Amino acid sequence: MASDMATSLKVERKPKLSETVVAAIRKQLQAGEIQPGQKLPTEGQLTETFGVSRTVIREALAKLAADGLVEPRQGAGVFVTEHISTMFGTLAADMGSKDSTALNVLEVRLAIEIESAGLAAIRRNAAQEAAIQEAFFEFERLLLNSEPTGPADLAFHRAIASATNNPFYVEMLDVLGRRAIPCDVTSPWSTELAQSDAYQRGLQGEHLVILNAIMTGDAESAREAMRAHLTASQQRYRERLHARQIFYADSVKAAATE
């Protein structure tokens, strides 16, 4: 009976229509059929091409934008991102929605952002310092209004990367896009817990420690604060995987006793 229960839990999820559209456009990008800087077909044209609704197309474009592969320009349309490197662009395009992938992303961010925080503390100018503060307070505003904080969260980390005055730090974060921010509702790894006020208030507290270290020019404290912030995120995902494992084991045990 336990084996029957295990089998029943393995349900294949049918891909959403938007995921099919995303996969098709990603293949075109990787094959070079659509070049960096090139404008994508209009929503109407994509609707006809894929035989789906405009809602599906908009959802697909939002996912591509979240990956940093395309960018909408007001009144002009949607364009393929120009600065994305081929290697890392492919990495972002291939990312799934597994917790294990989220852990891999956070590991990459640890390698990048610990040093970027230290460099930002040393190299920032007045305008860059202000941009970091503005992103911090925008996160606070969104949190108080119960709005998604993902864009402000990414802006905070991106402003720190920009303050290194090394454009490659910014490019790496741009490639990961909003998928780098698990608490955002558009992230494939977002959960009710990650979107809760208490969870995000904790994130903002960690952001404050990073901000204070950078503002005082303490490079080592900035590195340690960023390490603690991202390591805590890794731990939260490990706990999530462990909880799923326990749930599965309990389900099998309950089925065996029936």
Side-chain angles (χ1 to χ4, degrees):
M1 186 174 292
S3 60
D4 291 340
M5 179 64 181
T7 302
S8 68
L9 290 173
K10 296 178 182 178
V11 178
E12 289 292 331
R13 183 179 69 85
K14 185 177 180 179
K16 295 172 62 177
L17 288 175
S18 60
E19 293 173 352
T20 302
V21 174
V22 167
I25 295 178
R26 282 174 174 169
K27 285 183 180 180
Q28 289 180 299
L29 291 171
Q30 292 171 26
E33 296 173 16
I34 308 176
Q35 295 295 317
Q38 183 176 335
K39 180 180 177 180
L40 292 183
T42 65
E43 282 186 9
Q45 291 170 327
L46 289 172
T47 296
E48 291 184 14
T49 299
F50 292 102
V52 295
S53 69
R54 284 180 180 265
T55 300
V56 170
I57 294 299
R58 286 169 187 161
E59 186 178 344
L61 293 176
K63 289 182 180 180
L64 290 168
D67 290 342
L69 297 177
V70 301
E71 56 184 357
R73 298 179 188 171
Q74 182 113 26
V78 179
F79 293 78
V80 178
T81 306
E82 294 191 54
H83 64 273
I84 247 178
S85 65
T86 301
M87 180 176 67
F88 290 107
T90 300
L91 168 67
D94 288 339
M95 282 197 291
S97 58
K98 296 180 180 179
D99 289 327
S100 57
T101 307
L103 286 168
N104 287 339
V105 170
L106 286 165
E107 187 173 275
V108 171
R109 289 184 62 195
L110 273 164
I112 300 166
E113 294 196 65
I114 290 173
E115 186 58 21
S116 73
L119 292 175
I122 299 169
R123 297 178 179 175
R124 75 197 186 287
N125 59 37
Q128 291 166 338
E129 184 175 301
I132 298 170
Q133 291 175 316
E134 287 168 357
F136 175 86
F137 287 113
E138 176 62 8
F139 186 107
E140 185 72 17
R141 185 190 70 80
L142 293 170
L143 184 55
L144 290 173
N145 291 336
S146 299
E147 297 178 37
T149 57
D153 196 341
L154 180 57
F156 177 77
H157 287 274
R158 194 179 186 281
I160 292 171
S162 180
T164 67
N165 290 298
N166 180 335
F168 290 106
Y169 282 104
V170 179
E171 181 170 350
M172 291 291 289
L173 278 184
D174 283 349
V175 166
L176 293 175
R178 286 199 299 269
R179 285 176 177 265
I181 309 299
C183 68
D184 185 22
V185 295
T186 64
S187 168
W189 306 301
S190 184
T191 65
E192 289 185 8
L193 171 62
Q195 295 168 32
S196 72
D197 183 82
Y199 179 96
Q200 295 194 55
R201 181 56 62 188
L203 292 180
Q204 183 71 327
E206 293 168 9
H207 288 164
L208 181 59
V209 179
I210 298 168
L211 175 65
N212 286 338
I214 292 175
M215 294 304 102
T216 57
D218 188 338
E220 192 54 38
S221 291
R223 291 187 182 98
E224 286 306 310
M226 184 64 79
R227 184 192 304 277
H229 175 51
L230 296 177
T231 299
S233 292
Q234 283 185 315
Q235 184 58 32
R236 285 185 280 265
Y237 273 92
R238 290 192 183 100
E239 290 172 356
R240 175 175 164 178
L241 283 169
H242 184 60
R244 288 172 61 188
Q245 179 182 339
I246 292 175
F247 174 79
Y248 175 80
D250 288 345
S251 298
V252 172
K253 187 182 298 184
T257 59
E258 288 181 357

